[in-house]
Amino acid sequence: MTSEEKVRYWMELSDEDIRVAKGLLKLEHFLYVAFMCHQCIEKIFKAAYEYRINDTPPFVHDLMLIADRAGILDLFDDLQMDFIEQLSPLNIKARYPGYRKELAKEMTKSVCEDLINKTQELQQWTKENILSIK
């Protein structure tokens, strides 16, 4: 696989994850909407890592760490950074028993709609400003 093919692979997975998040919203599986929003951004950051570093992204789920290692962390504005920080723990909280119940209480339809909108905005911004492959 060429580097460009790997970038496209990560981008396609990211696109699929946001579609899944929207489907889960319709089904009112709010906890999983949060998880899939995290996955969407994780994969677009991994596309950015592959694009900029030309190497396999790290096998981690920490959004800040991936963005930092990709050399893109300082490209985000304060609102984007706040959202990345908000999204980062959702990967863990959606999966582990000690956090699931707590997170499930926070995830309402309107919260998830906002998560999806902000996820799409960050994903699109990353595509347009970091990845030149459309």
Side-chain angles (χ1 to χ4, degrees):
M1 228 182 193
T2 67
S3 183
E4 184 174 322
E5 289 170 330
K6 291 176 186 175
V7 171
R8 286 187 190 280
Y9 166 81
W10 287 113
M11 290 173 65
E12 288 169 6
L13 289 178
S14 178
D15 290 342
E16 184 177 339
D17 287 343
I18 197 64
R19 283 191 303 273
V20 170
K22 290 176 184 179
L24 291 168
L25 178 67
K26 289 178 185 174
L27 296 171
E28 298 188 354
H29 291 292
F30 302 138
L31 185 64
Y32 295 103
V33 169
F35 178 75
M36 293 311 297
C37 285
H38 178 283
Q39 290 297 293
C40 172
I41 297 304
E42 178 181 328
K43 289 168 187 158
I44 202 66
F45 284 3
K46 287 184 176 184
Y49 183 95
E50 178 68 42
Y51 180 77
R52 292 177 60 105
I53 307 299
N54 195 24
D55 195 11
T56 302
F59 293 97
V60 297
H61 307 290
D62 183 321
L63 300 179
M64 295 295 227
L65 180 65
I66 298 165
D68 185 48
R69 289 188 182 170
I72 62 172
L73 194 59
D74 60 345
L75 302 177
F76 299 110
D77 66 28
D78 290 342
L79 288 176
Q80 290 168 321
M81 289 295 291
D82 289 346
F83 181 64
I84 294 166
E85 288 175 0
Q86 175 191 359
L87 203 55
S88 286
L90 298 182
N91 176 51
I92 301 298
K93 287 185 174 184
R95 292 193 289 169
Y96 292 96
Y99 301 107
R100 281 178 61 91
K101 287 183 182 180
E102 172 189 324
L103 182 61
K105 291 177 190 174
E106 298 172 23
M107 293 295 115
T108 64
K109 183 175 184 177
S110 74
V111 167
C112 288
E113 288 170 339
D114 187 52
L115 273 176
I116 287 173
N117 289 334
K118 288 179 180 177
T119 298
Q120 285 183 283
E121 288 171 11
L122 182 59
Q123 180 200 40
Q124 190 60 38
W125 186 93
T126 303
K127 287 179 180 180
E128 291 173 0
N129 293 282
I130 296 172
L131 302 167
S132 66
I133 301 170
K134 304 293 181 212

